[in-house]
Amino acid sequence: MLKELWNDAEGGFHPASAPDFLPDAHLKAVQLRRLRAVVARAYDNVALFRERMTERDLTPASIQSLDDVAKLPFTVKADLRDTYPFGLFASPMGDVVRLHASSGTTGKPIVVAYTREDIEVWSEVMARTLACCGLHRGDIVQNAYGYGLFTGGLGAHYGAEALGATVIPISGGNTDRQVMLMRDFASSAICCTPSYFIHLVERAGELGVDLRELPLRVGVFGAEPWSDGMRAHVEATAGIKAHDIYGLSEIIGPGVGVECGEQQGLHIFEDHFLPEIIDPETGEPLPDGSEGELVLTTLSKKAMPMIRYRTRDITAIIPERCGCGRSLRRIQRIGRRSDDMIIIRGVNIFPSQVEAALLAVEGTLPHYRIILTREQGLDQMTVEVEVTPEVLSDQVRMLEDVRRRIAQAIERIVGVRVGLRLVEPHSIERSQGKAKRVIDQRGD
Amino acid sequence: MKLNQLSLFLENRPGRLIEPTRLLAAEGINVMTLCLADTAEFGILRLIVQDPERAAQVLNDAGWAVNLTEVVAVEVPDQPGGLAEVLEVFEQAGLNVEYVYAFTLRREDRAILVFRFQQPDQAIAVLEASGHKVVDAERLAALVG
């Protein structure tokens, strides 16, 4: 039996992980049954969805196979804003036990709802997520995702409890206290954003605490893109195994996908979330293995079903079976979102590319930000990078050399000239949640 | 025989020099001399202080990027020709000086030259062979104390 199936150090099967290993035919049968039910539910209860179905001469009976999902209309983020706050709910308020909302970048937030059954499904997929990261009963999980309207905190909390682990509901921020409790409570796992964890490691070092000497062994990191280089860095400096998790509040929150011990892509909990990859330009479905935009359909959601939700995340479905034995398909790690993209003088640039270049240059920690300005009508990109004692020299030309090497590494990857400014340590604001890597001062 | 020089990274904007010097003052660490190398965007502040290890710790704890570099200090008479004589020794030995700065002592007619070399040990050897007084941390403390 696979190790991850056993729910504590001594062994003990955790039934929540069972659907990860369903035979393909069984999984597909579950998916089709649930797809038909969720389409009928959305059609019967959500006006916007029914109108769009009708426009296409579709009824719930049009869904006869899993491939028929491609006939259905897409849902986009603007639909959530346009129907703010409760317009996409498929349950009466009496059945809704929880609301969450995401911080909208423009104006109104988007609101999501959960029935009691939805909360149970969410707890289940998060328990499976944590089990997939190698956690079990007896683990002490320091949950540093923010509790509140953000789905991260409560999602991880319910999942860890469902798994039977011990949760420290510390929430985000107050880094000194995080370090103290991590040491005093002997936390074996931490859940937070990768950028916050880097900040935490750094702060622990200043406080004289070496995380490699603590019992901490697993990091459950998500809510923002992070690179493999960043993973190597945090695994080495903290002595942990770092897992990428994927989720979005529109679908459920965290718990849509997770990396297993193989760390070769993220398994999608396909029995609850049906993944498709589409061409972001044409909307046409793409075969497994092709890169495109991830589209998700919630197969079990009651309060707020999402049909073909366009995530804006760019990835590909990995066609091969995973070495861990799970039958769930995997997606590639998400390095970029189609709306994270920076366009400089017609060139598309993603912050993850800058990060990869920074990491390729020896001794550079990933504390950086990208500043976009416009000078005499021309877009300029400047990258600010904090100087560390490791790269610091007493000689100007050595430091100039570091600066030039970093700039050249970035230019090689992104293909446009960049300005590079070395700045003092801690001069770039640390995020308590999602890192803000790009400051756009172009002011259209 | 070498001295530890403290190097500190500063952004080249108004007021950046004050904070680290205040930190050292608050710790009672005396700055004997300093030298600032700068470009349009950043500077490297080099400091000779009492107790460089503690100074580095204090600055590091406060979040500054600092490191320690070994430099060679020579005591010379504070009079014309003092520097030239020492430079001649290095020239004859074929040693390249990366940078140099100097300070004088109030109580004695002496000046201290601070040199940065790629090979400090070789520099010390030629200085001693030519009869020059190399200043170590102990001697420096005695001179300024």
Side-chain angles (χ1 to χ4, degrees):
Chain A
M1 187 57 71
L2 287 150
K3 234 184 181 168
E4 287 156 2
L5 280 170
W6 299 92
N7 188 38
D8 58 27
E10 291 80 45
F13 180 68
H14 199 284
S17 287
D20 294 6
F21 299 89
L22 285 180
D24 284 346
H26 189 159
L27 176 62
K28 286 202 158 62
V30 169
Q31 287 176 319
L32 180 59
R33 176 164 47 82
R34 289 183 175 168
L35 176 66
R36 296 181 70 171
V38 80
V39 168
R41 183 177 183 84
Y43 184 86
D44 290 344
N45 297 288
V46 183
L48 179 79
F49 184 66
R50 189 170 49 249
E51 282 161 26
R52 287 184 182 170
M53 291 271 284
T54 308
E55 279 169 22
R56 288 169 175 73
D57 292 326
L58 294 171
T59 66
S62 313
I63 305 299
Q64 294 298 323
S65 73
L66 278 178
D67 290 339
D68 288 339
V69 73
K71 296 177 182 168
L72 296 169
F74 292 117
T75 307
V76 295
K77 195 165 202 161
D79 294 331
L80 283 90
R81 290 214 188 86
D82 294 346
T83 56
Y84 174 88
F86 304 149
L88 294 182
F89 291 9
S91 294
M93 204 48 101
D95 291 342
V96 171
V97 299
R98 178 94 64 80
L99 297 175
H100 279 283
S102 86
S103 50
T105 42
T106 48
K108 292 278 172 59
I110 58 155
V111 183
V112 294
Y114 303 77
T115 64
R116 193 164 299 285
E117 283 169 285
D118 291 335
I119 297 285
E120 277 164 20
V121 168
W122 193 14
S123 305
E124 176 206 312
V125 289
M126 274 311 290
R128 288 162 69 184
T129 294
L130 298 173
C132 200
C133 297
L135 298 177
H136 44 62
R137 186 156 59 85
D139 269 308
I140 298 172
V141 178
Q142 181 160 342
N143 185 16
Y145 281 120
Y147 281 65
L149 284 175
F150 173 55
T151 50
L154 285 167
H157 182 104
Y158 275 57
E161 283 192 354
L163 185 72
T166 309
V167 192
I168 308 172
I170 190 165
S171 193
N174 202 338
T175 311
D176 288 12
R177 191 176 57 181
Q178 300 267 4
V179 173
M180 182 182 78
L181 296 193
M182 179 175 284
R183 187 184 53 200
D184 296 351
F185 293 2
S187 306
S188 55
I190 183 157
C191 306
C192 60
T193 58
S195 56
Y196 183 64
F197 187 69
I198 286 174
H199 172 57
L200 193 148
V201 174
E202 194 176 69
R203 183 62 193 149
E206 288 167 3
L207 296 169
V209 176
D210 184 347
L211 296 196
R212 288 171 297 192
E213 289 165 6
L214 299 185
L216 192 75
R217 52 169 237 281
V218 172
V220 182
F221 302 131
E224 64 187 19
W226 52 300
S227 60
D228 282 334
M230 209 157 147
R231 187 215 302 277
H233 173 73
V234 300
E235 288 192 335
T237 52
I240 60 166
K241 188 147 187 168
H243 294 259
D244 191 8
I245 63 168
Y246 177 70
L248 56 169
S249 48
E250 297 91 316
I251 297 302
I252 200 157
V256 175
V258 61
E259 282 180 319
C260 63
E262 303 282 315
Q263 293 177 322
Q264 299 287 331
L266 289 81
H267 290 283
I268 297 291
F269 294 112
E270 290 187 82
D271 48 327
H272 294 298
F273 314 107
L274 184 68
E276 294 172 83
I277 300 290
I278 62 158
D279 179 329
E281 303 288 327
T282 64
E284 287 304 311
L286 295 173
D288 283 7
S290 314
E291 190 170 84
E293 181 180 337
L294 178 66
V295 170
L296 291 165
T297 298
T298 61
L299 296 176
S300 320
K301 275 282 273 303
K302 298 281 191 256
M304 198 167 155
M306 277 290 136
I307 309 295
R308 300 194 89 199
Y309 184 72
R310 292 188 61 161
T311 65
R312 299 281 164 202
D313 290 317
I314 304 294
T315 182
I317 291 175
I318 301 170
E320 293 82 23
R321 259 302 164 94
C322 182
C324 76
R326 282 180 175 76
S327 49
L328 302 171
R329 281 180 300 169
R330 290 165 294 159
I331 56 167
Q332 284 170 4
R333 297 189 69 200
I334 290 158
R336 55 204 180 94
R337 286 175 54 80
S338 57
D339 51 5
D340 247 7
M341 197 170 67
I342 304 165
I343 302 176
I344 294 271
R345 294 172 235 158
V347 179
N348 297 346
I349 296 169
F350 294 92
S352 56
Q353 294 176 302
V354 172
E355 196 172 283
L358 286 172
L359 281 151
V361 180
E362 200 184 350
T364 312
L365 277 170
H367 272 305
Y368 71 95
R369 61 179 185 175
I370 298 165
I371 297 171
L372 306 174
T373 51
R374 186 165 290 152
E375 283 159 35
Q376 287 153 1
L378 198 60
D379 288 350
Q380 308 286 344
M381 172 169 149
T382 303
V383 181
E384 289 189 344
V385 182
E386 287 187 5
V387 166
T388 61
E390 289 73 36
V391 301
L392 177 62
S393 163
D394 61 319
Q395 297 180 61
V396 171
R397 68 183 156 83
M398 302 289 277
L399 215 45
E400 276 291 351
D401 191 49
V402 168
R403 198 189 63 77
R404 198 162 38 240
R405 271 189 309 165
I406 298 174
Q408 284 168 352
I410 296 173
E411 285 168 1
R412 265 199 304 274
I413 292 183
V414 303
V416 295
R417 278 194 69 81
V418 299
L420 197 120
R421 192 150 53 222
L422 296 174
V423 297
E424 288 164 13
H426 303 277
S427 58
I428 295 173
E429 200 188 335
R430 300 296 190 263
S431 65
Q432 304 287 324
K434 295 192 190 195
K436 185 150 177 57
R437 299 291 195 196
V438 181
I439 313 289
D440 197 338
Q441 299 172 339
R442 289 178 292 187
D444 288 308
Chain B
M1 293 303 280
K2 286 159 278 189
L3 283 184
N4 266 331
Q5 167 194 273
L6 199 69
S7 306
L8 175 84
F9 179 86
L10 291 173
E11 283 171 42
N12 199 350
R13 15 185 202 105
R16 296 318 293 153
L17 199 49
I18 297 172
E19 229 182 287
T21 51
R22 267 195 197 132
L23 275 167
L24 294 178
E27 285 292 315
I29 295 170
N30 190 26
V31 176
M32 294 170 203
T33 184
L34 59 82
C35 153
L36 183 65
D38 69 317
T39 70
E41 290 188 339
F42 65 84
I44 301 167
L45 180 65
R46 302 157 183 156
L47 298 157
I48 300 292
V49 297
Q50 286 168 331
D51 205 346
E53 287 78 14
R54 191 160 66 90
Q57 191 62 52
V58 166
L59 291 168
N60 185 62
D61 289 350
W64 293 86
V66 285
N67 67 13
L68 292 170
T69 315
E70 288 182 334
V71 290
V72 176
V74 197
E75 193 180 327
V76 295
D78 186 12
Q79 63 187 47
L83 171 62
E85 199 186 310
V86 174
L87 290 176
E88 230 158 77
V89 173
F90 297 139
E91 197 202 339
Q92 274 166 19
L95 288 169
N96 182 40
V97 175
E98 301 286 334
Y99 56 80
V100 58
Y101 53 103
F103 62 109
T104 57
L105 298 170
R106 260 172 304 164
R107 269 168 293 176
E108 300 179 51
D109 284 347
R110 314 293 290 171
I112 307 285
L113 305 174
V114 180
F115 288 98
R116 170 75 156 96
F117 289 100
Q118 286 302 332
Q119 310 94 351
D121 292 320
Q122 217 180 320
I124 290 168
V126 297
L127 282 170
E128 286 185 329
S130 60
H132 286 92
K133 268 194 199 159
V134 179
V135 178
D136 61 9
E138 205 177 310
R139 172 73 181 150
L140 187 66
L143 284 171
V144 297

